[in-house]
Amino acid sequence: MSADEATRDGAATARRKPPWTATVLTIFPEMFPGHLGASLAGKALERDLWALRVLDIRDFARDKHRSVDDAPFGGGAGMVMRPDVVDAALEAAKAQGPGPAIYLSPRGRLLTQALVRELAAGPGAILLCGRYEGVDERVLEAHGVAEVSLGDYVLSGGEPAALGLMDAVVRLLPGVVGNEASPAEESFERGLLEYPHYTRPAAWRGRKVPQVLTSGHHEKVRRWRQGQAERITEERRPDLWAHYLKDRDEGEGREP
Ligand code: 9D3
């Protein structure tokens, strides 16, 4: 028996590594788990394949009105989340949840599949959701908080972004995705968009399924799909296409 097996042996000492844990800081705790309580992520949550802790930032306010925001120094519209309140919430989150502290913010680094993979490989994440105009800069500096954005469009706050980030991470955790398709086969992992998909009926409103897909020639199907994925990526996402060509020419993934 290996040392590792020995430490797991015996009913009294049997203990599983804690699951990937999201600790969310928000003034809208009722938005969680949201869609992550349904479908694959919801099943995985029930099976303790990941954990979700939600802290209400308002619980860390100290005045009788439970204020979390105040007017911006320098003037201007809107309100700013107070550093003392967010600090207390972050301290509580760090005491009970593992992983890097991330502020969901339109100024953040774009969330990519590479970052999602990095987060999924770690123990969890502390997700700070902003509302109003944002959070006082000093508390972000003091806690070494990273900033992550979902894309260049305006959301109403950090909560929908936190749900999107967790969705992307959770589906990568061991045991969560039902089918056996390896993540390495996913289009984004290969740097390409997906090829087109078809199912029955073989003819629908006069539109036929591409013949190669009903031919039974697996190698021809594979080549057709690869060609389609490349065509669609080149047409729709020149940025991904350039990166794909660069990786391919550097010999990544496939040998010459
Ligand atoms: C109206 C306020 N905006 C000035 C132009 C700044 C602004 C503040 C707060 C814009 C959006 C938000 C709320 N958004 C988020 O907290 C957010 C977000 C987003 O809006 N887009 C993409 N990713 C993210 S992550 C968090």
Side-chain angles (χ1 to χ4, degrees), residues 23-36 52-60 66 68-69 81 85-86 89 127-134 155-163 166:
T23 307
V24 176
L25 301 175
T26 175
I27 60 166
F28 295 115
E30 67 275 17
M31 289 191 185
F32 298 88
H35 79 279
L36 298 174
L52 176 62
R53 294 176 187 157
V54 182
L55 303 186
D56 186 344
I57 294 172
R58 219 171 271 290
D59 289 343
F60 299 91
R66 307 222 298 158
V68 298
D69 61 325
M81 291 181 91
V85 176
V86 172
L127 303 176
L128 171 61
C129 302
R131 282 277 153 173
Y132 319 110
E133 286 309 299
L155 298 173
S156 54
E159 289 82 4
L163 288 165
M166 289 189 283

Side-chain angles (χ1 to χ4, degrees), residues 104-106 130 132-134 148-158 161:
L104 284 312
S105 151
Y132 319 110
E133 286 309 299
V148 172
S149 165
L150 240 59
D152 296 336
Y153 40 80
V154 181
L155 298 173
S156 54

Side-chain angles (χ1 to χ4, degrees), residues 83-229:
D84 53 345
V85 176
V86 172
D87 171 57
L90 275 169
E91 286 295 341
K94 287 181 171 180
Q96 63 163 281
I102 295 172
Y103 171 44
L104 284 312
S105 151
R107 298 189 320 184
R109 157 186 176 195
L110 268 188
L111 184 65
T112 61
Q113 192 64 19
L115 178 53
V116 169
R117 245 183 278 131
E118 219 175 279
L119 290 171
I126 294 166
L127 303 176
L128 171 61
C129 302
R131 282 277 153 173
Y132 319 110
E133 286 309 299
V135 175
D136 186 289
E137 192 74 17
R138 294 166 295 177
V139 71
L140 302 174
E141 290 167 6
H143 282 269
V145 176
E147 293 188 45
V148 172
S149 165
L150 240 59
D152 296 336
Y153 40 80
V154 181
L155 298 173
S156 54
E159 289 82 4
L163 288 165
L165 182 152
M166 289 189 283
D167 184 296
V169 168
V170 165
R171 58 181 295 286
L172 294 186
L173 300 175
V176 173
V177 173
N179 65 47
E180 320 85 59
S182 88
E185 283 166 26
E186 283 183 34
S187 59
F188 265 112
E189 300 289 342
R190 295 185 303 129
L192 291 174
L193 300 179
E194 286 261 306
Y195 51 78
H197 302 284
Y198 300 90
T199 187
R200 279 180 285 274
W204 178 75
R205 293 193 185 171
R207 297 163 188 265
K208 288 178 185 151
V209 168
Q211 194 149 31
V212 61
L213 298 179
T214 54
S215 69
H217 290 91
H218 299 299
E219 183 53 26
K220 279 188 190 167
V221 169
R222 195 197 63 73
R223 281 203 301 265
W224 181 84
R225 285 177 169 166
Q226 177 70 19
Q228 291 289 311

